[in-house]
Amino acid sequence: MRQKNHYFQWGLTALCVISASLLLGFTLYNFRSLMKGVQMLTGILMPFIWGFVIAYLLLPIFNFNVRWMEPRVLARAKNKGKAKRKTRLAASILTVAEGILVVGGLLSLVVPQLVVSVYSLVELMQSMTVYSTELQQMINELLQSNPILESNFRQVYDEAVRLLTDFVSGFMLPQLVSMASGFMSTVSALKNFLIGIIIVIYVLCSKDLFCAQAKKIAYAALPVKKANLVIDNLRFTHRVFGGFISGKLLDSLIIGVICFVALTLFKFPYPMLISVIIGVTNIIPFFGPFIGAVPSALLVLMADFQQPIRCFYFILLILILQQFDGNILGPKILGDSTGLSAFWVMFAILVFGGVFGFVGMLVGVPLFAVFYALVSGLINRSLRTKHLSENTLDYFELASIDPLTLERKPIPQTEEPKESKDKKQPKKD
């Protein structure tokens, strides 16, 4: 009987391996078709994706509204269950309304200023075109007396015109065409967003039900110990991810407001446009300040090209602002929410940004922090089962560990040869 069970297990293992190999081969052979199917499914589910993302961002406000409304309503209600459901529905509607009011208020402040800034920038570009024509005529007049220098200048000028033409035809025009063709996708995204708002209300009202159903499935499919571990890890993921995203959004909003006030006080051009750029790019850890500072500095330089020192002052102002954010404001709001060193932050941004683009740069750090914590937990649990130290400091000067006594042996200190010591001693006369 045992022999039959042994053969059955071997046969079942071989069947699983063959099935997995066939599935892998089918996936690789039909990878493009599968990706098209995934994209089509993602497009269908996009309103639900919008809904869950917005609901997750509004969750702290919803919890605050529920904590404020529920005790007052339940104190007067006769049917507690019915009153609780109505309270959560009202809290979800109130939360969505508050979110729309906040976003609408910010857009009403930002969009007119952005339009004015972009219009001023277009006028500046037109004036720079006139200035460039006048500069070209002045240079031609100066070079008429020197044919050799004029010929060299003509070559440089023609090469610059060729490069500019290639840039416009090879990059700018395709971007404009893609923007025009993306109008319908923008309309579709707006439709998905509006449907997602309705889904937000249902998600917020039913979040406790969804959590209970997820726990029920976990305990039904896994052993109790593993189910507890999965639920604890999900709580940790929510704490790290939600805390980082909400804290980073608040931090970037404060930095954008401070930047607008500083640019207005020092009378820099395009204060609203530059503040929006700095605030949005500040959401990206580590690289965000540099990504936002470069185009902003170019805007300041183009607006005050007769006074390039103003661009230097602007860069100095941004450096001071980012030092304030990195050393005072950011740690105050976020704390050590990720637990990652600067190396792993850079690694997460580059990897997730390369795979998922701008969204990957935003969520890469908290996602990698969760992965890093899970791997660290597995390593520490394995060390505990082996009765070894979990403190990383204990492994710095470690050479080996005795397998029987578990005694740590440090790295032996290398001693200098006696001959080298004798050479270092000064010779006596």
Side-chain angles (χ1 to χ4, degrees):
M1 187 67 181
R2 291 182 179 177
Q3 189 175 6
K4 290 182 180 180
N5 290 334
H6 180 72
Y7 287 137
F8 175 77
Q9 291 176 358
W10 271 105
L12 184 61
T13 303
L15 178 63
C16 292
V17 171
I18 294 172
S19 301
S21 302
L22 292 175
L23 181 62
L24 178 62
F26 176 80
T27 303
L28 294 177
Y29 185 76
N30 300 281
F31 184 74
R32 292 185 178 178
S33 300
L34 291 175
M35 288 302 298
K36 289 181 180 179
V38 170
Q39 291 177 357
M40 183 178 67
L41 181 62
T42 304
I44 296 172
L45 297 177
M46 190 55 67
F48 292 92
I49 296 174
W50 274 107
F52 279 101
V53 170
I54 297 172
Y56 189 79
L57 293 176
L58 294 177
L59 189 58
I61 303 175
F62 173 77
N63 292 333
F64 174 80
N65 290 333
V66 169
R67 286 194 300 267
W68 181 79
M69 296 173 62
E70 201 169 57
R72 293 169 172 80
V73 174
L74 293 181
R76 302 176 181 178
K78 296 180 180 179
N79 190 342
K80 302 294 184 182
K82 189 176 181 180
K84 189 174 183 180
R85 288 192 297 270
K86 289 184 177 180
T87 302
R88 293 193 170 247
L89 177 60
S92 62
I93 296 174
L94 178 62
T95 301
V96 172
E98 290 171 347
I100 293 175
L101 286 176
V102 170
V103 174
L106 291 176
L107 290 178
S108 65
L109 293 175
V110 171
V111 172
Q113 294 292 329
L114 286 178
V115 172
V116 172
S117 300
V118 173
Y119 182 73
S120 301
L121 186 60
V122 171
E123 289 184 342
L124 176 63
M125 296 295 293
Q126 293 176 351
S127 62
M128 288 185 66
T129 304
V130 176
Y131 292 151
S132 63
T133 304
E134 295 177 354
L135 180 63
Q136 180 183 356
Q137 293 176 355
M138 184 178 65
I139 292 175
N140 289 335
E141 293 175 358
L142 292 175
L143 295 177
Q144 284 179 357
S145 59
N146 195 336
I148 298 177
L149 186 60
E150 181 181 8
S151 176
N152 294 331
F153 175 77
R154 285 290 181 186
Q155 292 179 359
V156 174
Y157 178 78
D158 293 338
E159 182 66 18
V161 170
R162 185 187 66 80
L163 292 175
L164 181 61
T165 304
D166 293 341
F167 174 76
V168 172
S169 61
F171 178 77
M172 293 297 294
L173 290 179
Q175 292 295 323
L176 293 174
V177 172
S178 63
M179 289 176 61
S181 62
F183 176 75
M184 293 304 297
S185 62
T186 304
V187 174
S188 177
L190 182 61
K191 179 199 72 173
N192 293 331
F193 177 77
L194 294 176
I195 299 175
I197 292 296
I198 301 174
I199 296 173
V200 168
I201 299 175
Y202 287 99
V203 172
L204 291 176
C205 289
S206 306
K207 75 178 187 68
D208 292 337
L209 176 62
F210 291 155
C211 292
Q213 290 174 343
K215 294 175 185 178
K216 182 179 177 181
I217 294 172
Y219 283 111
L222 299 172
V224 175
K225 190 174 181 180
K226 291 185 178 179
N228 290 333
L229 182 62
V230 169
I231 293 172
D232 289 340
N233 289 330
L234 288 177
R235 286 199 185 101
F236 173 77
T237 302
H238 167 67
R239 186 169 62 253
V240 173
F241 193 85
F244 180 83
I245 294 297
S246 59
K248 199 62 181 175
L249 289 174
L250 178 61
D251 173 69
S252 300
L253 177 62
I254 295 174
I255 289 298
V257 171
I258 295 175
C259 181
F260 176 75
V261 172
L263 294 179
T264 305
L265 288 177
F266 292 104
K267 297 181 180 180
F268 281 100
Y270 318 121
M272 181 58 70
L273 179 61
I274 293 175
S275 300
V276 170
I277 295 174
I278 295 297
V280 171
T281 55
N282 192 71
I283 301 175
I284 303 173
F286 197 83
F287 293 106
F290 304 101
I291 296 174
V294 172
S296 301
L298 291 176
L299 287 175
V300 173
L301 183 62
M302 290 172 60
D304 293 334
F305 61 92
Q306 295 179 348
Q307 295 179 340
I309 192 65
R310 296 269 293 169
C311 181
F312 173 75
Y313 292 151
F314 170 77
I315 295 174
L316 185 62
L317 175 64
I318 295 299
L319 287 176
I320 295 173
L321 184 63
Q322 294 304 332
Q323 288 297 317
F324 166 74
D325 180 35
N327 297 314
I328 300 175
L329 183 63
K332 191 72 175 177
I333 296 176
L334 295 171
D336 192 16
S337 59
T338 61
L340 296 177
S341 63
F343 172 81
W344 290 118
V345 169
M346 190 190 313
F347 176 82
I349 293 172
L350 291 176
V351 172
F352 283 86
V355 176
F356 301 106
F358 183 76
V359 177
M361 299 180 76
L362 296 180
V363 301
V365 173
L367 286 178
F368 188 80
V370 172
F371 173 76
Y372 185 89
L374 293 177
V375 173
S376 298
L378 292 175
I379 293 173
N380 290 335
R381 187 172 64 177
S382 177
L383 290 172
R384 282 195 300 270
T385 57
K386 298 177 181 179
H387 304 287
L388 297 176
S389 174
E390 302 174 25
N391 191 358
T392 307
L393 297 176
D394 295 335
Y395 295 87
F396 270 90
E397 301 295 332
L398 181 67
S400 62
I401 297 178
D402 190 278
L404 298 177
T405 62
L406 300 181
E407 181 183 357
R408 293 193 295 268
K409 299 180 180 179
I411 298 175
Q413 298 293 332
T414 57
E415 297 182 358
E416 297 182 1
K418 293 183 178 180
E419 295 180 358
S420 62
K421 290 182 180 180
D422 295 338
K423 289 181 180 179
K424 291 182 180 179
Q425 295 179 356
K427 294 182 181 180
K428 295 181 180 180
D429 296 334

